[in-house]
Amino acid sequence: MDIVLEIADTFLFDRFWSTVYPASTLNYPKYAVQDATTTFSSMRELPTAIHSSTQFFQLAPSQYAYMSEWPRDNIWRQFFSLYLITWLFGLVLYLVFASLSYLFIFDHATFTHPKYLKHQVKLEIRQTMISMPLMAIFTAPFFLLEVRGYGKLYDAPSDAPFALYNFLQFPLFIAFTDLCIYWIHRGLHHPKIYKTLHKPHHKWIMPTPYASHAFHPMDGFAQSIPYHVFPFIFPLQKFAYIALFAFINFWTIFIHDGEYVANSYILNGAACHTMHHLYFNYNYGQFTTLWDRLGGSYRQPNDELFSRESKMSKAEWERQTKEMEKLQKEVEGDDDRDYGQESRRLQKKVM
């Protein structure tokens, strides 16, 4: 995350913090030289003492890098900068890629499913907008610890424990986080926790890509903890770390897009996750079906989901609705979702 922070500092936050919290003329020189006669104009000509976060490229800081009372290594500046990066960058990533998935992948015939909510997309986006800034508060301290050197992140491939580790870190990350998220997710379905924390995400019986980040903030953060803990336990290359975090966001959108590409025995794809949203207590895994199979919570997606004609058929929807309503009653009690007048009319026909 120090690479992301350096890029953000260079192109955004140096100027931002120099405006929000400018350095006084008296204190200004202490960030570069111990010379009481140094002036703002001459400071711009001095070579920078700021070190690059990676050996693969270097960004020359502008004069703004020295014009804030909070220098780049100030812990409060780092925390607030990382908070803004986590919140705003995550929000942009969500809006851009969820929208692309919604426009070009998501099957809009889902709108007529009897369990599709009234104004659902608006509600999904609203829930995300509320949750993201709160989730970022809990996430930023992990990034801060990493930036300040407490993690096991490394820069040069030669710094890996052994050469092959540069490749093994990817499946290791997937395996570790998949195991942890399975048990966290399953724990969130405990009756004493579900209705408070996890039910807001299960509001979406037939989710759209915008449901990917529409969680209660503590729910979303709880399921992200393994990602943040990993680099404090295992070595992780800095650019691999950034790539994996981008991949996590793409994957989360992918499993909510309703496009059932393949009935994989191994991958917990969109079809498996649809089973989870429809029937609640199945398919808790994030990336694979391994822990669901071992934990007895795996449910194979219906074959009908892999044909557009059958997955959108009235018969399939009637079967889904009948079973979903029975399980929903057991898990939640009365259904407080608003399906809209047209959906209610369809449900009456089913019943």
Side-chain angles (χ1 to χ4, degrees), residues 91-350:
L91 186 61
V92 169
L93 204 66
Y94 162 76
L95 290 173
V96 170
F97 290 98
S99 296
L100 290 173
S101 178
Y102 177 79
L103 291 172
F104 299 109
I105 299 175
F106 175 69
D107 193 336
H108 290 69
T110 305
F111 294 159
T112 57
H113 192 285
K115 292 301 176 182
Y116 185 83
L117 302 186
K118 182 180 180 181
H119 306 310
Q120 182 169 312
V121 167
K122 181 180 178 180
L123 293 171
E124 289 169 340
I125 294 173
R126 181 170 177 258
Q127 178 65 51
T128 304
M129 293 295 185
I130 293 170
S131 297
M132 272 198 167
L134 298 175
M135 285 191 285
I137 292 174
F138 301 109
T139 303
F142 285 95
F143 291 151
L144 180 64
L145 290 171
E146 293 162 10
V147 166
R148 298 188 75 82
Y150 292 98
K152 294 188 176 183
L153 295 168
Y154 65 92
D155 188 34
S158 58
D159 294 333
F162 50 91
L164 190 58
Y165 187 83
N166 287 301
F167 301 96
L168 293 178
Q169 62 184 324
F170 295 99
L172 178 60
F173 180 90
I174 296 299
F176 174 82
T177 56
D178 197 44
L179 165 62
C180 295
I181 291 172
Y182 172 81
W183 289 109
I184 292 170
H185 191 178
R186 189 162 185 168
L188 287 163
H189 277 260
H190 189 281
K192 292 184 179 180
I193 300 174
Y194 174 82
K195 289 185 179 181
T196 302
L197 293 185
H198 198 50
K199 184 180 176 181
H201 186 62
H202 271 272
K203 184 174 185 177
W204 334 114
I205 302 299
M206 294 300 295
T208 80
Y210 292 110
S212 59
H213 294 69
F215 291 90
H216 183 288
M218 286 306 299
D219 177 6
F221 171 69
Q223 294 194 61
S224 74
I225 288 175
Y227 305 133
H228 306 307
V229 168
F230 184 90
F232 293 96
I233 301 175
F234 303 100
L236 188 60
Q237 202 277 332
K238 291 181 178 181
F239 286 99
Y241 179 59
I242 297 169
L244 284 167
F245 261 89
F247 166 73
I248 291 163
N249 281 276
F250 297 150
W251 184 268
T252 305
I253 293 170
F254 163 72
I255 63 175
H256 290 89
D257 67 12
E259 185 62 28
Y260 314 129
V261 179
N263 191 3
S264 173
Y265 182 82
I266 299 173
L267 295 180
N268 180 56
C272 280
H273 200 66
T274 292
M275 293 291 99
H276 178 72
H277 275 266
L278 272 170
Y279 306 127
F280 299 94
N281 294 327
Y282 302 95
N283 299 351
Y284 299 108
Q286 179 73 354
F287 301 113
T288 76
T289 63
L290 172 63
W291 295 106
D292 281 299
R293 292 178 186 278
L294 293 175
S297 55
Y298 176 69
R299 175 162 177 163
Q300 183 174 346
N302 303 338
D303 291 337
E304 288 81 1
L305 295 181
F306 299 96
S307 165
R308 190 180 189 285
E309 290 73 21
S310 59
K311 84 172 184 178
M312 292 297 177
S313 69
K314 180 180 178 182
E316 175 64 12
W317 284 359
E318 287 178 352
R319 189 172 63 79
Q320 290 175 359
T321 298
K322 184 177 181 181
E323 185 175 1
M324 173 266 161
E325 287 179 343
K326 179 182 177 182
L327 293 170
Q328 181 269 325
K329 190 75 173 178
E330 295 174 1
V331 173
E332 298 180 347
D334 293 335
D335 192 351
D336 57 1
R337 298 169 180 82
D338 181 4
Y339 299 102
Q341 294 302 317
E342 180 63 18
S343 291
R344 292 188 184 282
R345 184 180 64 80
L346 291 172
Q347 289 181 59
K348 288 179 181 178
K349 284 187 176 182
V350 171

Side-chain angles (χ1 to χ4, degrees), residues 21-31 40 66-69:
Y21 195 13
S24 65
T25 306
L26 180 63
N27 292 332
Y28 192 88
K30 71 182 180 183
Y31 301 138
F40 286 94
Y66 302 102
M67 294 175 64
S68 172
E69 196 69 22

